[in-house]
Amino acid sequence: MDLLRQLRHFTVVGEELHFGRAAERLGMAQPPLSQRIRELERELGVELFDRSRRQVRLTPAGAVLLDEARELLAGVTRMRELVARAGRGEYGTLRVGVPPELPGSVLGAVLTEFAALAPEVQLELSEFTTAEQLQLLAGHGLDAGLVHHPLDPAAGLESGPVIEPPLGVVLPRVPPLAGEAASGGDITLAELAGRALVTYPREAAPALYDATLAACRDEGFHPVRVSTARSPEVMLGLVIAGHGVAFSHPAIARKEPRVVWRPLAPRAPLWRLVFAWPARAPHPAVAPLVRAATGILRGHEGGALAASGPVAEPAPRPWNAVYERS
């Protein structure tokens, strides 16, 4: 027995209290409608209607069933709507991985933009390195992730447009690099010769780590020591403490007044980013996320991640007198 169909028929009869009008409303003949109500009564083992020549009335059992059937049918309708919307990427939860170095201001802009596109999709964000994200994406532990480009073609992932934010060097705003810091111009890798480097651990993104050090060597920068930091905060701390210079996007340097960011030129390592997601059974909300996030990452704050050029010098603050004092 198709219980849901039987309940729909019963509900109409219960509302009309007239088999003829109910049959007309349902677009069917009265005899089969009466037969289905009888089948439902036999299935439940109770009389649902008190039938007389003059009127049809609900029995106490029929009144209870009418309330329950309405609630059940409304729940089924809501379930169908939610499932259909989830299939279109308009409802549900999207699990997204982001790198630890993604600035909070950029992340906030992405969340706001995506919320406007898909207001009933909850973003479940987690910080992971590129290596960690790729492993999770392969096992469908994430629906999408912002990772370093390029991707392994055999990884079974699809990817969005490549984002190429500007890469520069983070220098302490103190001697002996005060000269470079104050110049405001581009710095070549060769000018960093003899200095140490602070970068992310190789296990976070092995291909990017190797390519970065290879680019340094090719341009005459052989770091005397390589220190690693998993988070931007630790990286900035090591730079301030004189453990080396670091490569980063301008937005990272803006967090700390005791450092300065300068663009690398003419040839610098490439730190490209890309959104990736499982090629098999992708989450339908990935497309609007990639569209929103890519637009933000390519144009946030007029170029905090995407545009090239030096970061403007901050306005003088009380601590400048302390940290810039020779």
Side-chain angles (χ1 to χ4, degrees), residues 137-281:
L137 289 168
H140 282 254
L142 285 176
D143 299 311
L146 184 61
V147 299
H148 289 287
H149 185 269
L151 302 177
D152 182 356
L157 301 176
E158 297 285 346
S159 60
V162 174
I163 303 159
E164 190 172 319
L167 186 65
V169 60
V170 181
L171 305 167
R173 201 185 288 270
V174 293
L177 296 175
E180 292 93 330
S183 69
D186 295 350
I187 290 181
T188 67
L189 288 172
E191 291 179 275
L192 300 176
R195 298 190 171 92
L197 175 67
V198 180
T199 189
Y200 298 106
R202 186 178 185 279
E203 60 267 24
L208 180 69
Y209 181 96
D210 294 343
T212 299
L213 291 189
C216 290
R217 290 193 297 269
D218 291 345
E219 294 300 313
F221 175 33
H222 300 267
V224 297
R225 182 179 66 256
V226 177
S227 301
T228 60
R230 290 180 62 89
S231 70
E233 287 73 20
V234 174
M235 181 268 286
L236 291 172
L238 291 174
V239 170
I240 293 169
H243 287 244
V245 300
F247 300 135
S248 177
H249 309 308
I252 302 299
R254 286 195 177 99
K255 295 180 175 182
E256 175 52 64
R258 289 169 288 179
V259 303
V260 64
W261 182 90
R262 290 291 174 262
L264 282 167
R267 298 174 62 184
L270 294 176
W271 282 16
R272 292 168 171 156
L273 296 170
V274 69
F275 265 101
W277 59 89
R280 185 175 58 82

Side-chain angles (χ1 to χ4, degrees), residues 66-134:
L66 181 59
D67 291 340
E68 295 295 323
R70 282 171 167 165
E71 185 174 342
L72 176 62
L73 293 174
V76 171
T77 300
R78 181 175 182 275
M79 177 195 69
R80 290 181 183 277
E81 291 174 351
L82 291 180
V83 169
R85 293 173 60 201
R88 296 193 299 266
E90 299 171 358
Y91 182 83
T93 300
L94 186 65
R95 302 165 301 168
V96 180
V98 295
E101 65 268 25
L102 190 66
S105 59
V106 178
L107 187 59
V110 170
L111 292 173
T112 301
E113 182 75 10
F114 181 73
L117 291 176
E120 293 192 67
V121 176
Q122 180 179 357
L123 276 186
E124 187 176 288
L125 295 173
S126 302
E127 280 190 352
F128 294 111
T129 65
T130 288
E132 292 168 339
Q133 288 192 57
L134 293 178

Side-chain angles (χ1 to χ4, degrees), residues 12-19 21-22 49 55-58:
V12 174
V13 177
E15 291 172 348
E16 296 291 342
L17 295 177
H18 190 284
F19 278 84
R21 289 196 299 269
F49 294 100
Q55 61 181 348
V56 175
R57 294 183 302 178
L58 285 167

